[in-house]
PDB file of all heavy atoms in Angstrom:
ATOM      1  N   HIS A  97      37.802 -86.523 -17.709  1.00  0.00           N
ATOM      2  CA  HIS A  97      39.092 -86.016 -18.165  1.00  0.00           C
ATOM      3  C   HIS A  97      39.231 -84.513 -17.946  1.00  0.00           C
ATOM      4  O   HIS A  97      39.893 -83.818 -18.714  1.00  0.00           O
ATOM      5  CB  HIS A  97      39.298 -86.345 -19.658  1.00  0.00           C
ATOM      6  CG  HIS A  97      39.335 -87.810 -19.944  1.00  0.00           C
ATOM      7  ND1 HIS A  97      38.184 -88.546 -20.172  1.00  0.00           N
ATOM      8  CD2 HIS A  97      40.374 -88.687 -20.002  1.00  0.00           C
ATOM      9  CE1 HIS A  97      38.516 -89.813 -20.374  1.00  0.00           C
ATOM     10  NE2 HIS A  97      39.832 -89.920 -20.280  1.00  0.00           N
ATOM     11  N   ASN A  98      38.629 -83.987 -16.868  1.00  0.00           N
ATOM     12  CA  ASN A  98      38.842 -82.578 -16.539  1.00  0.00           C
ATOM     13  C   ASN A  98      40.260 -82.393 -16.035  1.00  0.00           C
ATOM     14  O   ASN A  98      40.695 -83.098 -15.119  1.00  0.00           O
ATOM     15  CB  ASN A  98      37.853 -82.133 -15.451  1.00  0.00           C
ATOM     16  CG  ASN A  98      36.434 -82.080 -15.960  1.00  0.00           C
ATOM     17  OD1 ASN A  98      36.125 -81.369 -16.904  1.00  0.00           O
ATOM     18  ND2 ASN A  98      35.556 -82.872 -15.347  1.00  0.00           N
ATOM     19  N   GLU A  99      40.961 -81.428 -16.599  1.00  0.00           N
ATOM     20  CA  GLU A  99      42.342 -81.219 -16.183  1.00  0.00           C
ATOM     21  C   GLU A  99      42.390 -80.376 -14.924  1.00  0.00           C
ATOM     22  O   GLU A  99      41.762 -79.326 -14.832  1.00  0.00           O
ATOM     23  CB  GLU A  99      43.147 -80.545 -17.299  1.00  0.00           C
ATOM     24  CG  GLU A  99      44.633 -80.485 -17.003  1.00  0.00           C
ATOM     25  CD  GLU A  99      45.474 -80.129 -18.204  1.00  0.00           C
ATOM     26  OE1 GLU A  99      45.180 -80.647 -19.300  1.00  0.00           O
ATOM     27  OE2 GLU A  99      46.412 -79.329 -18.040  1.00  0.00           O
ATOM     28  N   ALA A 100      43.153 -80.844 -13.943  1.00  0.00           N
ATOM     29  CA  ALA A 100      43.333 -80.146 -12.673  1.00  0.00           C
ATOM     30  C   ALA A 100      44.815 -79.845 -12.492  1.00  0.00           C
ATOM     31  O   ALA A 100      45.584 -79.827 -13.455  1.00  0.00           O
ATOM     32  CB  ALA A 100      42.790 -80.990 -11.519  1.00  0.00           C
ATOM     33  N   ARG A 101      45.228 -79.596 -11.274  1.00  0.00           N
ATOM     34  CA  ARG A 101      46.580 -79.161 -10.974  1.00  0.00           C
ATOM     35  C   ARG A 101      47.643 -80.084 -11.586  1.00  0.00           C
ATOM     36  O   ARG A 101      47.541 -81.302 -11.474  1.00  0.00           O
ATOM     37  CB  ARG A 101      46.748 -79.111  -9.454  1.00  0.00           C
ATOM     38  CG  ARG A 101      48.042 -78.478  -8.967  1.00  0.00           C
ATOM     39  CD  ARG A 101      47.966 -78.201  -7.473  1.00  0.00           C
ATOM     40  NE  ARG A 101      47.922 -79.417  -6.677  1.00  0.00           N
ATOM     41  CZ  ARG A 101      47.507 -79.440  -5.405  1.00  0.00           C
ATOM     42  NH1 ARG A 101      47.090 -78.348  -4.814  1.00  0.00           N
ATOM     43  NH2 ARG A 101      47.506 -80.583  -4.733  1.00  0.00           N
ATOM     44  N   GLY A 102      48.619 -79.471 -12.243  1.00  0.00           N
ATOM     45  CA  GLY A 102      49.739 -80.228 -12.782  1.00  0.00           C
ATOM     46  C   GLY A 102      49.384 -81.170 -13.912  1.00  0.00           C
ATOM     47  O   GLY A 102      50.139 -82.103 -14.189  1.00  0.00           O
ATOM     48  N   GLY A 103      48.230 -80.961 -14.542  1.00  0.00           N
ATOM     49  CA  GLY A 103      47.819 -81.853 -15.610  1.00  0.00           C
ATOM     50  C   GLY A 103      47.141 -83.118 -15.141  1.00  0.00           C
ATOM     51  O   GLY A 103      46.874 -84.017 -15.955  1.00  0.00           O
ATOM     52  N   SER A 104      46.870 -83.213 -13.857  1.00  0.00           N
ATOM     53  CA  SER A 104      46.131 -84.368 -13.347  1.00  0.00           C
ATOM     54  C   SER A 104      44.691 -84.323 -13.866  1.00  0.00           C
ATOM     55  O   SER A 104      44.211 -83.287 -14.334  1.00  0.00           O
ATOM     56  CB  SER A 104      46.144 -84.378 -11.819  1.00  0.00           C
ATOM     57  OG  SER A 104      45.579 -83.175 -11.307  1.00  0.00           O
ATOM     58  N   LEU A 105      44.007 -85.458 -13.776  1.00  0.00           N
ATOM     59  CA  LEU A 105      42.647 -85.567 -14.308  1.00  0.00           C
ATOM     60  C   LEU A 105      41.663 -85.858 -13.194  1.00  0.00           C
ATOM     61  O   LEU A 105      41.925 -86.689 -12.322  1.00  0.00           O
ATOM     62  CB  LEU A 105      42.586 -86.680 -15.355  1.00  0.00           C
ATOM     63  CG  LEU A 105      43.516 -86.533 -16.560  1.00  0.00           C
ATOM     64  CD1 LEU A 105      43.406 -87.751 -17.466  1.00  0.00           C
ATOM     65  CD2 LEU A 105      43.225 -85.255 -17.344  1.00  0.00           C
ATOM     66  N   VAL A 106      40.496 -85.184 -13.252  1.00  0.00           N
ATOM     67  CA  VAL A 106      39.443 -85.410 -12.271  1.00  0.00           C
ATOM     68  C   VAL A 106      38.109 -85.565 -12.990  1.00  0.00           C
ATOM     69  O   VAL A 106      37.962 -85.161 -14.144  1.00  0.00           O
ATOM     70  CB  VAL A 106      39.362 -84.242 -11.250  1.00  0.00           C
ATOM     71  CG1 VAL A 106      40.631 -84.156 -10.433  1.00  0.00           C
ATOM     72  CG2 VAL A 106      39.089 -82.912 -11.949  1.00  0.00           C
ATOM     73  N   THR A 107      37.155 -86.138 -12.290  1.00  0.00           N
ATOM     74  CA  THR A 107      35.832 -86.347 -12.875  1.00  0.00           C
ATOM     75  C   THR A 107      34.928 -85.151 -12.631  1.00  0.00           C
ATOM     76  O   THR A 107      35.216 -84.276 -11.804  1.00  0.00           O
ATOM     77  CB  THR A 107      35.162 -87.609 -12.303  1.00  0.00           C
ATOM     78  OG1 THR A 107      34.889 -87.390 -10.909  1.00  0.00           O
ATOM     79  CG2 THR A 107      36.043 -88.829 -12.461  1.00  0.00           C
ATOM     80  N   GLY A 108      33.812 -85.106 -13.358  1.00  0.00           N
ATOM     81  CA  GLY A 108      32.854 -84.017 -13.177  1.00  0.00           C
ATOM     82  C   GLY A 108      31.459 -84.441 -13.591  1.00  0.00           C
ATOM     83  O   GLY A 108      31.248 -85.529 -14.145  1.00  0.00           O
ATOM     84  N   TYR A 109      30.515 -83.564 -13.307  1.00  0.00           N
ATOM     85  CA  TYR A 109      29.112 -83.798 -13.645  1.00  0.00           C
ATOM     86  C   TYR A 109      28.517 -82.516 -14.192  1.00  0.00           C
ATOM     87  O   TYR A 109      28.716 -81.426 -13.621  1.00  0.00           O
ATOM     88  CB  TYR A 109      28.314 -84.258 -12.416  1.00  0.00           C
ATOM     89  CG  TYR A 109      26.847 -84.443 -12.710  1.00  0.00           C
ATOM     90  CD1 TYR A 109      26.378 -85.625 -13.282  1.00  0.00           C
ATOM     91  CD2 TYR A 109      25.916 -83.438 -12.427  1.00  0.00           C
ATOM     92  CE1 TYR A 109      25.038 -85.803 -13.566  1.00  0.00           C
ATOM     93  CE2 TYR A 109      24.562 -83.612 -12.707  1.00  0.00           C
ATOM     94  CZ  TYR A 109      24.127 -84.792 -13.281  1.00  0.00           C
ATOM     95  OH  TYR A 109      22.802 -84.962 -13.570  1.00  0.00           O
TER      96      TYR A 109
END
Side-chain angles (χ1 to χ4, degrees):
H97 297 87
N98 291 301
E99 189 167 318
R101 189 167 67 198
S104 58
L105 301 176
V106 296
T107 66
Y109 177 83

